[in-house]
Amino acid sequence: MTVTDPYHPATDAHAADVARAEAALLDPAMAHIVDVVLRAADEPDTYEAAAVDGRVRFRRRPDGPGWAFDAVRVEGRNPLADQAADRFSPLAEERANPHPDRTTTSYPFAYEQVAQLFDAPAAPDLIAIHTAAHNWADQGGHLGEHGSIGVVQARAPFIVAGAGAAQRGIVPESCRLVDVAPTVLSLLGIESRPGGGTGANGAHRDDALLARQDGDAQEVALDRGAPPARHVVGFLLDGANANVLYDLAGRGEAPNVARLMAMGTTFGHGAMSSLPTVTLANHTSILTGAHPGHHGILHNAWWDRRDGEQVITNSPAHWITAMDRLDPGVETVFSAVRRARPGSVNISLNEPCDAGADFSVFDLMRRGEMIDRPPHAEELPHATLRFVRPVKEYKWSSLVDHTAVEQFCGIWSGSYRGTAWPVPTFSWVNFSLTDAAFHEGGPYSEIAAAAVHDTDARIGEVLAAVERAGVFDQTAFFLVADHGMEESDPGCTGNWADALDDAGVAYRDEGYSFIYVNP
Ligand SMILES: [Zn+2]
């Protein structure tokens, strides 16, 4: 950092204000809601994580296409020492440890997660991570929450199935959401990108499948000896807790998810969401293979210090233009498939991260085309009426998800909106109902189970459309979420704004976690 960096004032006065803000967050009176505070240190490639009971300074060095990390100084307890990816899995383990505290939870890939975010020029001065217990319903949160790099909020399900997939059942493995895109391209038999690409550490990588590739194809889920898939269909179940989803599938409550699991490989310990573990940042990580700090969709909202502007990407008003912020150095799966399979058609249903797709609902909206009016929510197939009627978000998401199925079945039937369509090579279906319901009732609630049940039936409609097209055996499927979901403790409340205000520091808190001092 230099004094000419418009994003990071490098004055002593600014540094002192950041230190005061950090000290306020780390006050023992805030320890029930502040889990850990993250920052870039005042030396290159060096970061700090601090909690009420200790602090670590760690540094990265190139290692293959990625980074290796060394803790260079520890005071007290290292808050990120425990990075176990298998903690609190399966569901019984998670339920036995409700809202685990900083000494019992784990932070998978924590050093990498912190470092990638601070690669972004518009990264904040401090990132405050909520405790698992923190219920911030009165500040816009819910009973079910996410955003932390604690394992329960980071863990998304990941199932790979069908043509080109290995049929290993549930394996005791984990990966990261940035591994999804290279795995999907590998299912199609796509090998490296002409000219290679940029790896996680910013250096050239000959074997890259994408222009910017932080992740790696997951060989455990691939059958390299089988003919590659001709088509891939991906499902995103927003905010679906992996343990809950696998459990419901195992108990016969989600037969179509269970069918996919039987046809392939399920990452039993999940795929870990990138920091911050929020929606559009991680939709984009799934579809680009790059972390938020590299693809440019940093958070639901952030502050651009250079332009003095609040940037909002994840809201209904901003979805259609969100990809204007996508870093030009990244590539989406849509673009990569089109490059490797010239003439192919790739579709993006209800997905804001749609750059390079040939059909996208948000593209229709950008061009001002009318979207078909959905039926009344009460008349929808696969919509649990006892939640559709009273819960506004359940109703809205059921309508939206229904339209995704209609679009999929239309395009896959060969004709939609008066246009003839070939069978798409890559199809992406974003379902939002699970997020709405898991937030509303928490991951273990009846409304969450109903959302999985309804969404599973919609997946069944998609699978039937693939069968009708006569290409089921040549099609690979994958199912993923953008983050996990954890039940907070309604008795654990509070707002760190009180502590920051008392410290007398000027700041902006974006997305209730990204703290910009002297904005
Ligand atoms: Zn989400």
Side-chain angles (χ1 to χ4, degrees):
M1 288 176 210
T2 70
V3 284
T4 57
D5 178 348
Y7 290 100
H8 300 101
T11 64
D12 291 345
H14 183 71
D17 286 345
V18 172
R20 272 163 61 207
E22 188 195 62
L25 291 165
L26 295 174
D27 188 298
M30 290 289 112
H32 65 299
I33 63 171
V34 177
D35 194 45
V36 58
V37 180
L38 312 169
R39 62 189 291 183
D42 50 5
E43 315 171 60
D45 297 319
T46 309
Y47 312 88
E48 286 199 13
V52 70
D53 56 352
R55 173 186 295 269
V56 62
R57 173 175 281 233
F58 59 96
R59 191 170 292 147
R60 67 183 181 185
R61 56 187 159 80
D63 179 31
W67 300 102
F69 294 90
D70 304 299
V72 292
R73 192 171 74 220
V74 179
E75 297 165 19
R77 192 180 145 274
N78 174 352
L80 301 183
D82 190 342
Q83 302 188 10
D86 60 353
R87 188 71 40 82
F88 307 142
S89 177
L91 182 60
E93 286 289 312
E94 184 183 313
R95 298 291 307 264
N97 294 277
H99 22 84
D101 78 0
R102 60 178 61 77
T103 64
T104 54
T105 196
S106 65
Y107 305 87
F109 308 103
Y111 292 159
E112 174 187 345
Q113 293 299 355
V114 175
Q116 58 83 15
L117 199 283
F118 288 104
D119 283 339
D125 294 296
L126 299 169
I127 300 174
I129 301 291
H130 295 263
T131 58
H134 189 196
N135 181 286
W136 42 292
D138 58 337
Q139 289 114 43
H142 305 82
L143 182 59
E145 264 309 337
H146 58 90
S148 167
I149 50 173
V151 63
V152 180
Q153 297 187 28
R155 176 181 283 137
F158 187 31
I159 302 164
V160 182
Q167 204 170 349
R168 294 205 163 87
I170 302 178
V171 294
E173 307 255 358
S174 66
C175 63
R176 304 160 298 174
L177 289 183
V178 292
D179 298 319
V180 172
T183 304
V184 168
L185 295 174
S186 298
L187 284 166
L188 284 164
I190 295 171
E191 290 172 1
S192 62
R193 179 175 184 268
T198 302
N201 64 21
H204 181 78
R205 178 173 177 176
D206 269 339
D207 66 349
L209 292 148
L210 293 138
R212 170 87 203 197
Q213 185 177 319
D214 291 336
D216 296 290
Q218 294 298 294
E219 296 300 328
V220 67
L222 299 170
D223 181 354
R224 296 281 190 182
R230 307 263 315 253
H231 313 275
V232 177
V233 176
F235 301 101
L236 185 134
L237 273 57
D238 200 301
N241 172 303
N243 288 331
V244 169
L245 183 72
Y246 298 163
D247 178 73
L248 287 168
R251 291 194 286 112
E253 300 290 330
N256 293 295
V257 174
R259 181 183 180 192
L260 294 177
M261 291 170 76
M263 286 164 51
T265 299
T266 295
F267 287 77
H269 301 150
M272 300 303 167
S273 182
S274 296
L275 172 72
T277 62
V278 300
T279 294
L280 191 52
N282 278 286
H283 282 233
T284 308
S285 287
I286 292 166
L287 287 165
T288 61
H291 285 300
H294 302 152
H295 62 55
I297 310 298
L298 286 194
H299 199 334
N300 294 334
W302 67 92
W303 179 249
D304 186 322
R305 193 191 294 274
R306 185 191 58 187
D307 296 340
E309 170 193 13
Q310 186 193 33
V311 180
I312 300 172
T313 49
N314 193 39
S315 82
H318 295 89
W319 284 331
I320 67 169
T321 55
M323 288 304 117
D324 292 352
R325 293 278 168 175
L326 195 64
D327 188 289
V330 305
E331 196 172 40
T332 62
V333 173
F334 304 109
S335 302
V337 171
R338 183 195 279 185
R339 170 174 41 70
R341 298 280 181 272
S344 67
V345 160
N346 304 292
I347 65 173
S348 171
L349 304 181
N350 289 354
E351 172 56 60
C353 179
D354 61 353
D358 298 289
F359 175 90
S360 151
V361 181
F362 290 102
D363 191 48
L364 293 181
M365 291 163 71
R366 282 190 290 269
R367 290 191 274 123
E369 290 194 24
M370 293 294 290
I371 307 297
D372 299 337
R373 234 189 146 68
H376 288 291
E378 286 78 3
E379 293 160 14
L380 289 178
H382 319 307
T384 302
L385 279 180
R386 75 178 193 281
F387 295 120
V388 164
R389 287 207 176 102
V391 183
K392 197 177 88 207
E393 289 291 319
Y394 200 100
K395 178 179 189 167
W396 190 79
S397 291
S398 296
L399 284 166
V400 168
D401 290 358
H402 172 78
T403 66
V405 173
E406 296 262 283
Q407 292 156 29
F408 186 96
C409 293
I411 290 173
W412 273 69
S413 76
S415 173
Y416 183 64
R417 295 174 66 91
T419 303
W421 289 91
V423 178
T425 299
F426 178 59
S427 306
W428 173 251
V429 189
N430 171 26
F431 288 126
S432 60
L433 177 64
T434 38
D435 189 70
F438 279 64
H439 271 307
E440 175 79 20
Y444 319 126
S445 59
E446 277 186 49
I447 191 172
V452 169
H453 178 265
D454 292 1
T455 304
D456 182 82
R458 295 190 180 105
I459 291 170
E461 297 277 359
V462 166
L463 298 182
V466 174
E467 283 171 338
R468 282 195 299 275
V471 296
F472 194 87
D473 292 343
Q474 300 154 43
T475 302
F477 301 90
F478 68 102
L479 184 154
V480 69
D482 51 345
H483 46 76
M485 191 72 78
E486 186 162 31
E487 187 163 284
S488 64
D489 175 0
C492 179
T493 59
N495 187 348
W496 57 55
D498 303 338
L500 290 170
D501 292 343
D502 287 348
V505 177
Y507 71 96
R508 291 185 68 100
D509 183 351
E510 298 291 350
Y512 205 5
S513 61
F514 275 23
I515 293 163
Y516 296 83
V517 176
N518 300 322

